[in-house]
């Protein structure tokens, strides 16, 4: 970016270091060369901005059509044709069905966790990162995991994109803000098979 580029020019000027590209050799200590290098840096920064904007535009267009592939929650997979399908592992599917049936019967995420614990049942997980990435793991059901399943439209066969917005904060921290549904970029019911209906998800 421009900030890094101009800092580099200052260092090169102080150390009498020349810079060269396809067009020639420049001395950052010389005013005219420094001016030209500054313009080249600004143009390069603008070009990167345009490229990022085009890439972002392509991503958003795919998302609006429901064609952009996004990570799927446990219980859903991409088949050989790239379409979303229910997990071929029957035990995984049964665990999801059991969770939804238990919640519908009890009406409480806490009661659902308690029932799984009393019955000695475990819940599947496929890590996206780390040494066990993509592997099927079975763990005790947690309250936060029940809520995450219940609030994920994918389980109702619905494609969505843009449910939250992230931005960098000072100090390299990242802020994630949940958006109201009317601000989501895409929400396409009946986009693929699911475990519950859209009406059940809304309820």
């Amino acid at each position: 970016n421009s900030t890094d580029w101009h800092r580099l020019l200052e260092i090169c000027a102080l150390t009498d270091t020349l810079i060269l590209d396809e067009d020639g050799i420049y001395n950052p200590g010389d005013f005219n060369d420094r001016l030209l290098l500054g313009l080249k840096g600004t143009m390069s920064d603008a070009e990167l901005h345009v490229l990022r904007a085009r890439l972002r535009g392509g991503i958003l267009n795919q998302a609006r059509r429901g064609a952009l592939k996004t990570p799927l929650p446990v219980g859903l997979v991409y088949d050989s044709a790239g379409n979303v399908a229910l997990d071929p592992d029957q035990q995984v599917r049964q665990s999801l069905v059991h969770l939804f049936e238990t919640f519908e019967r009890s009406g409480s995420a806490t009661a659902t966790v308690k029932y799984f614990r009393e019955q000695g049942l475990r819940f599947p997980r496929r890590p996206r990162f780390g040494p066990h990435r993509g592997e099927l793991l079975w763990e005790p059901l947690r309250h936060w995991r029940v809520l995450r399943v219940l609030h994920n439209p994918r389980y109702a066969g619905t494609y969505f994109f843009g449910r939250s917005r992230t931005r960098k904060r000072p100090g390299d921290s990242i802020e994630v803000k949940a958006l109201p549904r009317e601000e989501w970029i895409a929400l396409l019911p009946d986009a693929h098979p699911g475990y519950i209906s859209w009406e059940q998800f809304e309820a």
Side-chain angles (χ1 to χ4, degrees), residues 30-198:
D30 179 78
F31 174 78
N32 289 324
D33 282 3
R34 190 183 181 92
L35 179 62
L36 185 57
L37 287 169
L39 289 172
K40 282 177 173 279
T42 301
M43 292 171 62
S44 178
D45 201 18
E47 186 178 358
L48 286 175
H49 173 77
V50 172
L51 286 173
R52 281 194 295 266
R54 287 176 179 169
L55 287 172
R56 177 66 177 167
I59 288 172
L60 295 181
N61 285 334
Q62 279 189 306
R64 291 187 182 101
R65 301 195 315 268
L68 180 67
K69 280 190 175 184
T70 58
L72 296 174
V74 67
L76 294 171
V77 297
Y78 288 107
D79 61 18
S80 56
N83 300 316
V84 179
L86 301 184
D87 196 303
D89 190 312
Q90 185 175 356
Q91 193 174 0
V92 172
R93 295 198 308 271
Q94 190 58 41
S95 295
L96 265 302
V97 171
H98 210 44
L99 184 149
F100 286 115
E101 289 178 347
T102 304
F103 177 78
E104 189 171 13
R105 185 171 61 250
S106 64
S108 164
T110 302
T112 302
V113 173
K114 183 180 179 182
Y115 176 81
F116 267 67
R117 185 171 61 245
E118 291 174 346
Q119 297 297 315
L121 301 174
R122 292 180 173 266
F123 196 74
R125 181 172 74 93
R126 291 188 190 275
R128 296 179 188 172
F129 309 99
H132 299 289
R133 178 183 177 184
E135 294 181 19
L136 180 62
L137 306 178
W138 293 89
E139 301 174 346
L141 184 61
R142 308 291 184 189
H143 184 266
W144 64 267
R145 191 173 295 280
V146 177
L147 294 180
R148 181 173 291 182
V149 170
L150 295 173
H151 294 163
N152 194 330
R154 283 291 205 172
Y155 288 113
T158 299
Y159 180 92
F160 71 93
F161 187 84
R163 188 164 57 168
S164 62
R165 180 185 296 131
T166 59
R167 68 172 182 172
K168 288 186 177 180
R169 309 258 319 160
D172 290 333
S173 63
I174 296 178
E175 179 186 57
V176 180
K177 180 183 178 183
L179 299 176
R181 187 179 292 179
E182 58 271 15
E183 294 184 23
W184 294 8
I185 293 169
L187 184 66
L188 308 172
D190 300 320
H192 56 77
Y195 288 86
I196 58 175
S197 66
W198 179 248

